[in-house]
Amino acid sequence: MSTPEVRRPRRHRLRTVLVTIVTVLAVLVVTFLVYAHTVLPGSRSAALRVWHDDRVAVRDVGDSIVMRPTGADGGRAANGVGIVFIPGAKVDPFAYMATFRGAVAHGTTVVITKPTLNLAFFDTRPLSTFEAHAPGVSTWAVGGHSLGGVRACQLADDASGLLLLASYCANDLSDSSVDVLSLAGTRDGLSTPAKVDAARERLPRSATMVEIRGANHARFGAYGVQPGDGIATASRAAVDAEITQRVDRWVATLG
């Protein structure tokens, strides 16, 4: 006679446990989605200067931002080289328009991706997805900033070049023939010079390693202050100018 009375409390406890688990999971999912969609915003003024630069054509194609040279107003014609560039974790893709303004004006096409959930590791799309937006490019490189650079390393076998901005590889490319340019900042508090140096053995011996004096992690994009970063002693304009110079020189070896 007591069996139904025993089962009822057990079923109630089981229902309570299941409801609790579902609720906790829902809270975790919502918390993660809020975290992933809270990006480090790009500088509006820096982006507007690129939009208004007649040497650079900018097009938002949904999954990426395509920057290509126009050859106008003293700019150079397209050189046939393109870079698929992957943003750092939770950094506004538009923040890198200013970074590549000079290189694009000098002839290089740059496609800045919009990673899934603003985190490169969740983006499984191949390079061809983004290369399709610039059919006139004959030679492609892949690059990335911070976590985006780690993801770029995983795609390097499908490209002629690899551009790392304040980043380093987790996978081993030491036997690869990919042409690597690594730019790091001496004031970087996240991808510190020590971390970049420790991962040097994963890159080909031919890799070009450059430290930009006074640059911190955030100087490789135009998005303000990043928690945990060092304090930059070089201006954004100075860092952008050196990035342009180094990328121009590197791109000339790819085309």
Side-chain angles (χ1 to χ4, degrees):
M1 296 293 292
S2 62
T3 301
E5 296 178 1
V6 173
R7 288 178 179 173
R8 197 173 296 116
R10 286 180 177 174
R11 289 174 182 170
H12 178 72
R13 285 197 298 271
L14 179 59
R15 189 181 302 113
T16 301
V17 170
L18 290 175
V19 169
T20 301
I21 291 173
V22 170
T23 301
V24 170
L25 288 176
V27 170
L28 289 175
V29 169
V30 171
T31 301
F32 173 76
L33 290 175
V34 171
Y35 163 80
H37 285 89
T38 305
V39 300
L40 294 164
S43 166
R44 179 179 174 82
S45 60
L48 285 175
R49 282 194 291 272
V50 181
W51 283 100
H52 295 153
D53 190 334
D54 290 337
R55 302 172 303 166
V56 179
V58 180
R59 188 164 54 105
D60 188 339
V61 295
D63 63 6
S64 53
I65 303 156
V66 181
M67 300 174 64
R68 62 178 184 80
T70 65
D73 199 26
R76 301 174 195 167
N79 56 23
V81 178
I83 304 170
V84 174
F85 188 80
I86 306 171
K90 306 201 324 158
V91 178
D92 185 349
F94 287 92
Y96 298 100
M97 288 171 53
T99 304
F100 289 106
R101 176 186 180 186
V104 175
H106 296 166
T108 300
T109 297
V110 176
V111 179
I112 305 169
T113 71
K114 297 180 181 179
T116 305
L117 294 176
N118 297 305
L119 295 167
F121 280 163
F122 288 106
D123 198 338
T124 59
R125 292 170 292 184
L127 291 180
S128 58
T129 299
F130 307 103
E131 293 170 352
H133 296 309
V137 171
S138 56
T139 301
W140 281 100
V142 63
H145 173 228
S146 193
L147 184 63
V150 178
R151 175 60 180 154
C153 292
Q154 298 173 342
L155 299 169
D157 287 340
D158 297 323
S160 297
L162 172 64
L163 173 64
L164 298 176
L165 300 187
S167 187
Y168 46 87
C169 292
N171 56 311
D172 190 355
L173 294 175
S174 58
D175 292 329
S176 172
S177 60
V178 67
D179 195 337
V180 180
L181 172 62
S182 171
L183 303 181
T186 59
R187 303 286 295 178
D188 195 327
L190 299 172
S191 296
T192 63
K195 290 179 180 177
V196 172
D197 186 62
R200 172 65 179 87
E201 63 183 16
R202 301 188 195 114
L203 296 177
R205 293 183 63 184
S206 60
T208 300
M209 310 295 292
V210 177
E211 285 190 354
I212 299 179
R213 296 198 63 80
N216 64 356
H217 201 72
R219 277 291 187 262
F220 290 92
Y223 60 91
V225 178
Q226 187 164 4
D229 198 4
I231 298 175
T233 56
S235 68
R236 181 177 295 123
V239 174
D240 285 350
E242 183 155 1
I243 290 173
T244 298
Q245 179 188 64
R246 298 287 182 175
V247 170
D248 283 353
R249 192 177 303 169
W250 171 68
V251 161
T253 68
L254 301 178

